[in-house]
Amino acid sequence: MTTQRQARDGVDVPELAVRDVTVRFAGIKALDRVSFTVAPGAIHAIIGPNGAGKSTCFNVLSGVYRATEGSVQFGDQELTGLRPHQIAGLGVARAFQNIALSAVQSVEENLMLGRHHLTKTGFLAGGLQLPQARREDRRHRARAREIAEFLDLTDKLDIPVGVLSYGDQKRVEVARALCTEPRLLLLDEPVAGMNADETRRMAVLIIEIRAALGITVVLVEHDMGLVMGIADRVTVLDFGRLIADGTPAQVQADAEVIRAYLGEAAEVPTEPGATPSGPAPAPAPSRAASPGATPLPALPPAASHPEKPS
């Protein structure tokens, strides 16, 4: 099994390995010995009914929650116990379900927030606008504009985020995550609240991000049409337990998954791609990148991360 690959910029993209992760809140187990592996460069979906533990799992991966037991490894780096900014320094970025942007600032300024941990000049040099600080600012702004062009946001760079449509704001959220130069991109319900056209655009964008950058994408999503159309592998949680892990076709036909979504009385479909309530979800856009997509230049190496706290 491949445990590491190179992104388009030559930076190594390692495997993500979740091993026996348990999270307890008082007497409640939000996750119960969950284990799965995300292959380098894959689009990997985590799904499950409401309350299954998907958001808790994402919070463990990004350092918001600390696992009570178990291990999360990104290559040879142990993520368990690291703070979110330390995990970001390892090349892990997250776009949130509830948009976490500054509504009064422009799109460009929001993207520049994603560049902050990559800056080298200090507070004093930046405040005094010394030549080194100005040069670095120009480099980071140029990179942010490249990413905005890739996400079709160039004409919105000077517009306050708060006046954009919901779909555009979600794309800005993804763009800001990309501005951190990730090797692993975590997308928390990227099409939640979107209409059909916005959902199709986001599906194509996720495919193009993987194709252009070669990075790993892990997403939590309820839209089964999108998940089954673009994911290479799907992990299914229910009541904090892992109940299935496999290809989209394998997961769709899994009896435990069908029962979790449709109840104990549900019957396993007899035809590939069918569900007890009717045909399979409508397919998401093709895995091929859209012909008019602007290629995104290679990313520089991820910033080195600070020492793990004791």
Side-chain angles (χ1 to χ4, degrees), residues 73-187:
Q73 284 197 307
F74 188 45
D76 59 359
Q77 297 283 346
E78 176 61 52
L79 303 189
T80 306
L82 295 183
R83 296 178 181 274
H85 73 275
Q86 294 172 313
I87 292 176
L90 290 172
V92 179
R94 178 176 179 177
F96 291 85
Q97 173 190 357
N98 298 319
I99 296 170
L101 300 169
S102 175
V104 298
Q105 289 186 295
S106 70
V107 169
E108 183 175 21
E109 292 306 320
N110 273 276
L111 299 190
M112 286 295 289
L113 291 174
R115 308 295 299 175
H116 176 72
H117 80 111
L118 300 171
T119 57
K120 305 298 182 186
T121 53
F123 176 78
L124 184 59
L128 294 175
Q129 287 291 291
L130 298 180
Q132 178 186 0
R134 292 200 303 271
R135 286 194 298 271
E136 185 178 49
D137 182 74
R138 286 195 296 270
R139 287 196 302 272
H140 285 302
R141 287 187 185 277
R143 179 59 177 162
R145 288 167 186 152
E146 288 174 351
I147 291 170
E149 182 179 7
F150 179 66
L151 275 76
D152 196 23
L153 292 167
T154 299
D155 60 340
K156 300 173 176 63
L157 281 170
D158 297 325
I159 300 175
V161 164
V163 304
L164 297 179
S165 70
Y166 180 77
D168 285 341
Q169 288 186 36
K170 293 285 276 190
R171 283 189 293 131
V172 174
E173 180 80 13
V174 173
R176 186 178 63 177
L178 289 179
C179 279
T180 68
E181 310 293 9
R183 298 183 291 168
L184 169 61
L185 178 62
L186 305 176
L187 300 177

Side-chain angles (χ1 to χ4, degrees), residues 199-200 203-204 207 223-230 281-287:
T199 296
R200 282 192 294 270
V204 171
I207 294 166
D223 188 313
M224 291 299 101
L226 179 140
V227 167
M228 299 304 169
I230 71 173
S286 165
R287 292 176 184 270

Side-chain angles (χ1 to χ4, degrees), residues 6 20 25 70 94 117 160 189-190 215 223 260 264 278 289 291 296:
Q6 283 196 331
D20 296 322
F25 298 111
R94 178 176 179 177
H117 80 111
E189 299 197 26
I215 64 176
D223 188 313
E264 290 294 334
L296 185 58

Side-chain angles (χ1 to χ4, degrees), residues 5-23:
R5 62 173 284 178
Q6 283 196 331
R8 294 300 172 90
D9 59 352
V11 175
D12 288 330
V13 177
E15 177 183 84
L16 176 70
V18 178
R19 294 287 176 264
D20 296 322
V21 167
T22 297
V23 176

Side-chain angles (χ1 to χ4, degrees), residues 225-238:
L226 179 140
V227 167
M228 299 304 169
I230 71 173
D232 300 305
R233 198 164 184 89
V234 182
T235 295
V236 189
L237 302 179
D238 188 35

